[in-house]
Amino acid sequence: KILPHNFCELIDASIQILRGKKAVIYPDFITGGIADFSDYKDGLRGGKIRLRAKIRKEDNKTLVVNEIPYGTTSSLIDSILKANDKGKIKIKKIEDNTSAVAEVIIHLAPGVSPDKTLDALYAFTDCEVSISPNSSVIDGDRPRFMGVTEILKVNTDRTVDLLKLELEIRLAELQKQWHFSTLEKIFINEEMYI
C-alpha cells in the first residue's frame, strides 16, 4: 500500500539523494484535502495518515466540500447519507456537482448550526479518514518492507547504473567507429585498396 507521490517532488528528492543530502518526501493526493503526516513513519508498517476534506461554509444553510480525502471519491456521499439516516447529522439534501474538481453541496435542515454540522461531518462521515500505509517491494524473490525514501534511493541508484551502462555502450560504439575510420585511413594512405 504505497501512496501516490508528486512526480516533480520525487525528481527533486532524487537530486538531493545524488548530492548526498537527506531527502524527505510525503504523499501527494490528486483529490486534495488536508493531511496530517505526523505519524507517517516514511510509509512503513505502523504509520498512519489522517486525511480531512476541505469544507467551507457558503452561508448558514449550505456547506460545500471542495477537496475530498484520498480514496473516498465514491463513498463520501454515501457516508453522509448514512450519518443523516442514523441521526448523527441533519441535512435537507445533498448535491454532487463534481466534474473536473470535487464539489459536493450539503444543504442543511432549518435551524441546524453549520459549525456543529461541520464537526459532525468530520466525526461521523468519510470527511475524515485514516490511512495506514505499508510500503513493500519485491527484492529478488522475496517481499521486502522499505520506507519510501529508501525505495527512492534504490531507484535513483539503479537509474544511475542504467545511465552509466548506456554511456559505456555508446563509448564502445564510438571507439569501434573510431578504430574502423582509423583503419580505413591507413588503407587509403598506404594504397592497400589496390
Side-chain angles (χ1 to χ4, degrees):
K1 198 175 192 183
I2 300 175
L3 300 175
H5 290 77
N6 183 306
F7 185 72
C8 295
E9 291 174 3
L10 291 176
I11 297 296
D12 291 339
S14 291
I15 292 169
Q16 295 296 327
I17 289 170
L18 290 172
R19 291 182 176 159
K21 298 178 181 175
K22 186 177 181 194
V24 178
I25 53 175
Y26 294 109
D28 189 16
F29 305 109
I30 195 166
T31 56
I34 303 165
D36 175 14
F37 297 108
S38 60
D39 197 24
Y40 179 52
K41 296 183 183 176
D42 200 34
L44 291 170
R45 286 187 290 186
K48 188 189 296 185
I49 299 173
R50 287 182 49 212
L51 303 169
R52 278 187 141 194
K54 273 193 177 177
I55 304 173
R56 68 174 160 62
K57 186 167 61 167
E58 187 80 15
D59 54 40
N60 285 336
K61 296 179 182 180
T62 310
L63 297 174
V64 179
V65 181
N66 286 332
E67 298 177 17
I68 59 175
Y70 174 74
T72 62
T73 308
S74 59
S75 66
L76 181 71
I77 294 174
D78 292 338
S79 70
I80 293 171
L81 292 173
K82 284 179 186 175
N84 185 49
D85 292 343
K86 291 180 181 178
K88 303 288 185 184
I89 58 174
K90 293 180 182 171
I91 62 170
K92 187 161 93 179
K93 69 177 183 174
I94 189 166
E95 294 177 34
D96 185 10
N97 294 339
T98 302
S99 58
V101 292
E103 185 179 67
V104 177
I105 301 171
I106 302 167
H107 298 280
L108 303 177
V112 175
S113 167
D115 295 325
K116 287 183 181 180
T117 304
L118 189 66
D119 293 338
L121 283 170
Y122 287 129
F124 302 115
T125 68
D126 284 349
C127 288
E128 182 174 331
V129 294
S130 181
I131 297 177
S132 298
N134 189 9
S135 59
S136 64
V137 295
I138 303 298
D139 185 15
D141 293 338
R142 297 178 171 188
R144 181 174 165 206
F145 295 100
M146 302 169 69
V148 175
T149 307
E150 187 180 355
I151 292 172
L152 183 64
K153 183 176 180 350
V154 169
N155 284 331
T156 301
D157 293 342
R158 179 70 179 137
T159 302
V160 168
D161 292 341
L162 288 173
L163 290 173
K164 192 182 291 184
L165 183 63
E166 280 185 23
L167 289 174
E168 288 171 359
I169 291 169
R170 181 68 180 138
L171 177 63
E173 289 172 352
L174 290 172
Q175 285 177 339
K176 195 179 209 180
Q177 187 180 0
W178 178 75
H179 287 301
F180 182 74
S181 66
T182 304
L183 190 61
E184 191 176 21
K185 194 184 289 183
I186 291 171
F187 274 106
I188 292 172
N189 287 342
E190 299 296 323
E191 296 181 359
M192 296 176 128
Y193 56 87
I194 298 173

